[in-house]
């Protein structure tokens, strides 16, 4: 599948791309017609809708012929040709909906209802009255970077479930950060008795003979360490272990393997017991550390692999919490394809702004403004590669960087100098997300008008951070010294500003566009902080939707299947969610029942792996309190 993508010189340039191409100053793949202006050459030469995965041969055949599949959803040669004769633009709109997705991190249904009643959210109110709405159930993931791996509603994990229609366990974006490949390890030591630790391997399938492989090292202060490895109660052997990482390997007799619940135990001969000053720093007795463990079959293929951080559920007694070098999530970490890649493969145009873990940017059928774009501080701008797809788009967007004064203006009225309602780090983090929302807003103002159909998505984060920091003050917690009453209004104000941002962007799209507004979870005031609750918001307005209806039981997993159905595509069976049929008018559903397909889509073709931790993101996460 990956090869298929690599073979392609470029994604098709559908009709809607032409204005983006103009913006970028590129006009390849286009020809000029005296009557209807710019028309992609491709629309004239390839009219039938492509079936990218049903017939790979055809697809590459198309490409070598120089003809791209049309991005228009005319559905066949007759309607499209008719379109070309009459009005290309009008026809394109009728055939391909424009779907605008507003992703509002942390927007709470209860607070939206309150603010609507007070008339502070006219745009959202209008959308809810003209469309369907209801709570959106979030999904938990695991904070891998915390010693105890707490479960929780973790924004990048939830938004990636929105984008893929699968659970965090399947898409792999489990936390804000993931262990850098090969960096996970776990210490073995025992406060009582000899140091030993057990791992639960589960089923071992594949072709014997099997071998057990692992990376191991002795604690720096233990001389002449030896390790014995025991499998299902039978010793596989004993070997000396040095102080630097080394590979160990033992034959794993097939006769010892059980159908399930196979268990391997590591027994060290001795361990280091700290005393005095050392004990104050770390009082754990430590024998040695274990990194990756794998079972390989007779052909040296890995049939089972355990990473101490990712698979900590396999760690039995005798292990301390696993450790690793953590790196913020990046586009190369995705294990399931985002909907903008899959829809792009099917010929739909996409425009994505600021979704989590989308750096480095990769090829899409349209544009992708990566998650690092919003992190560009003044002075660092433009130095990073991979900020956008197409790459040259970044140069066009960087002049839109909001001046500091724009952010100050947003804050000044509510939050005067001298008031310390929160820690300086948290305030800095709050400031930086306001800056990001403003930047993404400006980018959307520039790019949204280039789209005539397809999927556009934009991510706003300030509601989440404002709610974490200021919901308790809104709920009546005592005001810190030097702070005016207006500080209690910050959350309301950020909601109002976000509503205005949506209003301005909606002026740029046609009335028949499909509008979706979502959040990944809500928040409530708990103690001195806002904390997550499971229900986020779901609002949908469009020509085929019910009007003014409340829906129940929608899940973040259902968004991607619903989008497939909106674009009249078969829904991949691999998705964990269901299309939200209850949002559509009965008449539309009768003529367009959901259809499913066993087809799978390739992962994005991420060319360069990320360079490493983005300091600004880590600072912001710390500021918000995520990395405490
Ligand atoms: Zn969130």
């Amino acid at each position: 599948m990956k090869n298929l993508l690599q073979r392609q010189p470029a994604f098709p340039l559908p009709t809607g791309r032409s204005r983006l191409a103009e913006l970028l100053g590129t006009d390849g793949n286009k020809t000029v017609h005296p009557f209807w202006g710019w028309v992609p050459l491709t629309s004239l030469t390839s009219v039938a809708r492509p079936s990218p995965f049903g017939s790979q041969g055809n697809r590459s055949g198309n490409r070598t012929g120089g003809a791209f599949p049309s991005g228009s959803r005319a559905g066949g040669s007759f309607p499209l040709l008719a379109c070309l004769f009459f009005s290309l633009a009008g026809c394109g709109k009728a055939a391909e909906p424009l779907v605008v997705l507003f992703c509002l991190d942390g927007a709470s249904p209860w607070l939206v209802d309150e603010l609507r009643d007070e008339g502070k959210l006219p745009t959202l109110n209008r959308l809810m009255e003209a469309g369907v709405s209801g709570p959106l159930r979030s999904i938990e993931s695991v904070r891998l970077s915390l010693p105890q791996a707490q479960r929780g509603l973790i924004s990048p994990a939830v938004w990636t479930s929105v984008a893929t229609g699968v659970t965090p366990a399947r898409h792999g974006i489990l936390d804000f950060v993931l262990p850098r490949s090969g960096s996970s390890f776990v210490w073995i030591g025992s406060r009582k008795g000899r140091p030993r630790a057990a791992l639960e391997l589960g089923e071992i399938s594949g072709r014997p003979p099997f071998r057990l492989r692992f990376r191991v090292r002795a604690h720096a202060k233990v001389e002449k360490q030896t390790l014995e490895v025991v499998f299902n109660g039978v010793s596989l052997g004993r070997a000396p272990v040095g102080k630097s990482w080394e590979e160990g390997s033992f034959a794993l007799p097939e006769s010892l393997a059980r159908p399930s619940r196979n268990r391997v135990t590591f027994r060290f001969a001795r361990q280091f017991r700290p005393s005095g000053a050392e004990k104050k720093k770390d009082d754990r007795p430590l024998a040695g550390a274990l990194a990756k463990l794998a079972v390989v079959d007779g052909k040296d293929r890995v049939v089972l692999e355990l990473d101490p951080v990712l698979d900590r559920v396999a760690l039995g007694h005798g292990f301390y919490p696993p450790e690793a070098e953590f790196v913020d999530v990046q586009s190369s970490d995705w294990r399931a394809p985002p909907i903008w890649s899959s829809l792009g493969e099917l010929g739909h145009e996409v425009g994505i702004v600021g979704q989590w873990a989308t750096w480095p940017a990769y090829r899409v059928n349209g544009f992708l403004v990566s998650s690092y774009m919003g992190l560009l501080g003044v002075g660092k701008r433009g130095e990073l590669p991979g900020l956008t797809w197409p790459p040259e788009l970044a140069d066009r967007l960087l002049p839109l960087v909001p001046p500091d004064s724009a952010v100050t203006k947003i804050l000044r009225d509510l939050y005067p100098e001298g008031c310390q309602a929160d820690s300086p780090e948290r305030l800095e983090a709050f400031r930086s997300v306001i800056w990001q929302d403003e930047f993404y807003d400006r980018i959307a103002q520039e790019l949204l008008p280039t789209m005539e159909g397809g999927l556009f998505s934009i991510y706003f984060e300030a509601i989440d951070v404002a709610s974490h920091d200021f919901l308790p003050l809104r709920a009546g917690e005592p005001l810190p010294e030097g702070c005016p009453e207006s500080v209690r209004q910050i959350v309301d104000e950020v909601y109002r500003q976000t509503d205005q941002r949506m209003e301005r962007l909606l002026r740029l799209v046609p009335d028949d566009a499909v509008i979706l507004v979502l959040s990944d979870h809500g928040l409530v005031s708990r103690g001195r902080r806002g904390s997550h609750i499971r229900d986020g918001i779901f609002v949908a307005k469009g020509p085929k939707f019910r009007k003014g209806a409340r829906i129940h039981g929608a899940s973040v997993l259902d968004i991607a299947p619903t989008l497939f159905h909106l674009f009249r595509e078969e829904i991949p069976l691999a998705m964990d969610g269901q299309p939200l049929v209850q949002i559509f008018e009965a008449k539309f559903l009768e003529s367009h029942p959901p259809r499913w397909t066993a087809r799978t889509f390739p992962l994005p073709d991420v060319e360069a792996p990320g360079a490493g931790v983005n300091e600004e993101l880590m600072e912001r996460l710390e500021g918000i309190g995520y990395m405490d």
Side-chain angles (χ1 to χ4, degrees):
M1 284 306 194
K2 209 164 187 188
N3 287 342
L4 180 70
L5 264 181
Q6 281 162 348
R7 267 206 314 276
Q8 298 168 10
F11 262 101
L13 276 175
T15 49
R17 264 305 291 284
S18 54
R19 276 194 275 163
L20 175 66
E22 258 167 50
L23 186 76
L24 292 172
T26 53
D27 59 0
N29 301 309
K30 282 191 292 177
T31 185
V32 182
H33 189 278
F35 297 114
W36 51 72
W38 292 106
V39 177
L41 191 59
T42 58
S43 301
L44 302 168
T45 49
S46 170
V47 286
R49 189 166 97 63
S51 170
F53 297 97
S55 53
Q56 296 191 9
N58 273 351
R59 190 170 170 82
S60 47
N62 267 353
R63 304 218 166 260
T64 47
F68 294 80
S70 166
S72 152
R73 300 306 319 283
S77 45
F78 276 117
L80 180 55
L81 288 177
C83 284
L84 291 175
F85 274 103
F86 297 107
S87 153
L88 186 73
C91 256
K93 265 178 203 157
E96 171 80 344
L98 174 62
V99 179
V100 178
L101 193 58
F102 290 107
C103 301
L104 312 185
D105 203 299
S108 309
W110 65 271
L111 188 47
V112 164
D113 287 342
E114 261 186 65
L115 297 176
R116 268 177 89 195
D117 289 347
E118 293 169 24
K120 287 175 175 167
L121 303 176
T123 312
L124 208 48
N125 186 53
R126 189 165 48 82
L127 292 173
M128 288 167 89
E129 279 177 358
V132 291
S133 60
L136 186 65
R137 190 185 313 144
S138 190
I139 189 166
E140 283 195 328
S141 186
V142 186
R143 293 295 312 280
L144 294 169
S145 51
L146 298 180
Q148 299 312 326
Q150 284 166 18
R151 299 186 66 78
L153 302 168
I154 303 161
S155 295
V158 183
W159 286 117
T160 307
S161 283
V162 168
T164 57
V166 304
T167 60
R170 291 183 61 205
H171 63 58
I173 307 293
L174 295 164
D175 193 357
F176 292 97
V177 288
L178 287 173
R180 193 191 287 279
S181 174
S183 75
S184 309
F185 70 93
V186 60
W187 284 110
I188 296 170
S190 176
R191 293 182 198 277
K192 275 188 232 159
R194 289 182 55 191
R196 58 159 81 184
L199 275 161
E200 300 291 340
L201 296 188
E203 183 195 16
I204 297 172
S205 61
R207 202 166 282 185
F210 299 116
R211 286 192 79 77
L212 188 69
R213 282 206 195 135
F214 47 89
R215 273 164 68 76
V216 71
R217 72 177 159 98
H219 188 270
K221 293 199 170 153
V222 179
E223 303 295 335
K224 292 187 186 157
Q225 182 65 290
T226 55
L227 171 69
E228 182 185 20
V229 178
V230 176
F231 181 69
N232 288 342
V234 177
S235 176
L236 300 179
R238 203 183 295 258
V241 178
K243 288 172 188 173
S244 48
W245 287 111
E246 52 193 77
E247 299 278 339
S249 167
F250 285 109
L252 223 170
E254 196 198 348
S255 58
L256 295 180
R258 298 181 190 136
S260 72
R261 194 153 191 259
N262 288 291
R263 161 184 270 232
V264 58
T265 308
F266 293 82
R267 290 185 186 155
F268 284 102
R270 38 189 75 83
Q271 64 182 337
F272 166 70
R273 285 184 182 277
S275 60
E278 273 170 328
K279 196 170 179 175
K280 269 192 189 145
K281 260 194 354 210
D282 187 350
D283 71 342
R284 301 175 301 176
L286 300 172
L290 177 72
K292 202 161 245 172
L293 177 133
V295 175
V296 296
D297 71 2
K299 289 189 169 165
D300 224 28
R301 283 179 305 215
V302 174
V303 296
L304 190 150
E305 201 168 21
L306 292 180
D307 176 293
V309 169
L310 297 178
D311 305 301
R312 69 174 81 208
V313 67
L315 303 179
H317 65 82
F319 289 106
Y320 296 110
E323 298 170 35
E325 192 183 330
F326 285 93
V327 187
D328 56 301
V329 280
Q330 297 173 2
S331 47
S332 52
D333 295 319
W334 293 54
R335 300 284 167 263
I339 189 166
W340 45 86
S341 288
S342 310
L343 287 175
E345 282 292 316
L346 293 167
H348 302 279
E349 189 191 357
V350 298
I352 304 300
V353 180
Q355 288 294 329
W356 276 98
T358 48
W359 182 83
Y362 41 84
R363 181 192 307 278
V364 293
N365 182 22
F367 60 86
L368 173 67
V369 177
S370 78
S371 43
Y372 271 22
M373 200 69 165
L375 296 167
L376 295 179
V378 180
K380 267 197 174 180
R381 66 181 74 163
E383 283 170 27
L384 222 47
L387 285 173
T388 60
W389 183 271
E392 63 271 23
L393 179 62
D395 295 335
R396 300 298 300 248
L397 299 180
L398 287 171
L400 303 175
V401 159
D404 237 24
S405 57
V407 179
T408 307
K409 189 168 171 290
I410 291 170
L411 271 175
R412 191 179 47 202
D413 296 342
L414 296 161
Y415 201 98
E417 261 176 75
C419 160
Q420 277 299 344
D422 217 326
S423 70
E425 298 78 40
R426 285 200 165 126
L427 280 181
E428 200 40 56
F430 180 46
R431 218 186 136 81
S432 76
V433 293
I434 291 183
W435 185 92
Q436 174 179 284
D437 281 9
E438 176 70 20
F439 190 24
Y440 287 164
D441 192 348
R442 290 170 183 224
I443 287 172
Q445 301 274 346
E446 183 87 1
L447 296 183
L448 184 50
T450 68
M451 296 187 69
E452 284 166 4
L455 174 68
F456 174 83
S457 152
I458 182 165
Y459 174 74
F460 288 128
E461 198 174 5
I463 286 176
D464 179 85
V465 179
S467 303
H468 274 296
D469 288 351
F470 301 110
L471 264 184
L473 290 177
R474 186 182 189 279
E477 281 280 310
L479 279 174
E481 225 173 293
C483 293
E485 281 290 322
S486 66
V487 176
R488 299 193 191 278
Q489 293 294 315
I490 287 186
V491 177
D492 297 29
E493 184 58 17
V494 170
Y495 268 83
R496 201 184 59 80
Q497 283 169 1
T498 307
D499 193 78
Q500 284 177 348
R501 292 192 196 284
M502 291 197 291
E503 180 60 45
R504 282 194 299 268
L505 290 171
L506 288 177
R507 279 186 213 133
L508 305 172
V509 303
D511 289 341
D512 63 353
V514 174
I515 314 298
L516 296 177
V517 189
L518 317 172
S519 67
D520 54 338
H521 55 77
L523 286 107
V524 290
S525 169
R526 207 170 278 156
R528 301 198 56 80
R529 302 282 293 155
S531 46
H532 290 178
I533 53 170
R534 196 188 61 173
D535 283 346
I537 63 167
F538 174 83
V539 179
K541 185 216 148 211
K544 308 287 185 250
F545 296 165
R546 293 159 67 203
K547 315 265 179 278
R550 280 288 287 181
I551 61 154
H552 306 279
S555 150
V556 290
L557 296 171
D558 301 334
I559 303 303
T562 304
L563 285 167
F564 263 78
H565 190 49
L566 264 173
F567 283 100
R568 318 258 172 106
E569 296 292 354
E570 296 175 331
I571 300 157
L573 283 162
M575 288 183 176
D576 293 317
Q578 298 289 324
L580 295 168
V581 288
Q582 64 269 45
I583 69 174
F584 294 97
E585 279 174 352
K587 224 168 151 189
F588 174 78
L589 275 184
E590 274 165 29
S591 51
H592 300 87
R595 294 164 300 134
W596 277 264
T597 176
R599 177 190 295 171
T600 57
F601 291 88
L603 288 171
D605 193 12
V606 181
E607 280 175 20
V613 179
N614 182 300
E615 297 294 334
E616 289 180 41
L617 176 67
M618 294 309 246
E619 270 168 35
R620 184 194 292 178
L621 293 174
E622 274 162 28
I624 298 167
Y626 283 133
M627 306 305 295
D628 294 353

